[in-house]
Amino acid sequence: MDNKHINFVKKIEYRTCPDILVGNDKEFWFSKKERIKHKNELNIFDSLKTRKKDELIIVIILESPHISEFSTKREDDFFDDKILANPALGKTGNNLQKYFTHNNLNNLIEKSIHDLHKYKKYKVILMNSIQYQCSLGCNPKKYRDHNWIQYWFSQGKEEFLERLQIYNPDIIFNLCTKGNHQDENNNAFFKKNNCKTVINGKYINYCVGKKSKSYNKKYNH
């Protein structure tokens, strides 16, 4: 990437928001309320160890964590000493809980998989393409897209691919938006290199090849 195009507006927030398991067969825990009930089932690697041959892995990709995804130390907080960050605990998680149902999932992929029911089990993983807080906790229009693009081209791409290859998904839902940076809407570089475009256009196909089916849906706006 040509550094003349963009630099970090402010130093990126290097608190990691880990990828997690958010669904097992017909049961999903996207919202904070449901996530609390399944706090002991979030670890992806424990789940991958027991993966069966007839079990699908479905991955949902978001841009980067914002505010609700990190501990606030309130008494009614989702977090504890073991869980300090979790993806999509705000509006996005609530929308996924409402709309990402088994029936909707089956309808979305039936043309490619033909019948989801023939697979006895499936697991759903929720991941951020970049695990750090690119927004710095401010309005996403201010810093998020600039920092996301800068980190992606410096090292984020490789980190993303490494995680995706470990998960080895059968189906990918890319829910990244195209961004809403207010200062660069007419900049050709930003139009070409937004979150959704760079992930869709090259890196998902590079990682999973013909095996995986990729879908683009919007649950976060």
Side-chain angles (χ1 to χ4, degrees), residues 1 5-10 12 130 134-135 140-153 179-185 187 189-190 193 195:
M1 176 183 173
H5 286 294
I6 185 172
N7 289 302
F8 286 115
V9 181
K10 282 191 175 182
I12 197 169
I130 291 178
C134 295
S135 70
K141 294 181 180 180
K142 194 170 186 179
Y143 300 125
R144 186 195 65 186
D145 298 343
H146 292 73
N147 283 341
W148 189 97
I149 291 172
Q150 173 68 17
Y151 189 80
W152 176 266
F153 283 105
N180 53 11
H181 35 275
Q182 58 188 184
D183 298 326
E184 303 286 350
N185 285 328
N187 188 305
F189 175 79
F190 274 86
N193 295 287
C195 306

Side-chain angles (χ1 to χ4, degrees), residues 15-17 32 66-75 77-86 89 133:
R15 290 183 296 171
T16 301
C17 183
K32 183 181 290 188
H66 188 33
I67 297 173
S68 301
E69 288 70 30
F70 295 97
S71 175
T72 59
K73 304 299 182 183
R74 295 193 306 267
E75 290 184 4
D77 212 334
F78 161 81
F79 305 97
D80 55 29
D81 292 339
K82 294 182 179 179
I83 301 176
L84 299 177
N86 244 223
L89 282 175
Q133 191 189 52

Side-chain angles (χ1 to χ4, degrees), residues 78-209:
F78 161 81
F79 305 97
D80 55 29
D81 292 339
K82 294 182 179 179
I83 301 176
L84 299 177
N86 244 223
L89 282 175
K91 180 180 178 181
T92 300
N94 291 333
N95 283 341
L96 282 165
Q97 189 69 46
K98 182 177 180 180
Y99 298 111
F100 200 93
T101 64
H102 175 77
N103 288 336
N104 286 343
L105 178 63
N106 194 60
N107 290 336
L108 284 170
I109 66 176
E110 64 180 352
K111 292 182 180 179
S112 299
I113 303 297
H114 301 299
D115 187 4
L116 185 62
H117 297 284
K118 75 178 182 180
Y119 293 90
K120 295 181 179 179
K121 294 180 180 296
Y122 61 84
K123 299 183 186 298
V124 181
I125 293 172
L126 185 62
M127 68 181 295
N128 283 294
S129 52
I130 291 178
Q131 294 181 304
Y132 306 117
Q133 191 189 52
C134 295
S135 70
L136 307 182
C138 300
N139 187 316
K141 294 181 180 180
K142 194 170 186 179
Y143 300 125
R144 186 195 65 186
D145 298 343
H146 292 73
N147 283 341
W148 189 97
I149 291 172
Q150 173 68 17
Y151 189 80
W152 176 266
F153 283 105
S154 63
Q155 64 191 84
K157 176 184 70 176
E158 286 74 19
E159 295 172 354
F160 167 77
L161 285 175
E162 182 178 350
R163 288 181 286 134
L164 201 59
Q165 287 170 334
I166 291 172
Y167 306 152
N168 193 23
D170 300 284
I171 299 169
I172 295 171
F173 287 90
N174 182 5
L175 302 192
C176 291
T177 65
K178 289 188 176 181
N180 53 11
H181 35 275
Q182 58 188 184
D183 298 326
E184 303 286 350
N185 285 328
N186 296 319
N187 188 305
F189 175 79
F190 274 86
K191 288 181 179 180
K192 181 180 179 181
N193 295 287
N194 59 66
C195 306
K196 183 176 286 293
T197 300
V198 296
I199 292 178
N200 273 2
K202 188 173 181 180
Y203 302 111
I204 285 180
N205 293 333
Y206 170 79
C207 179
V208 297

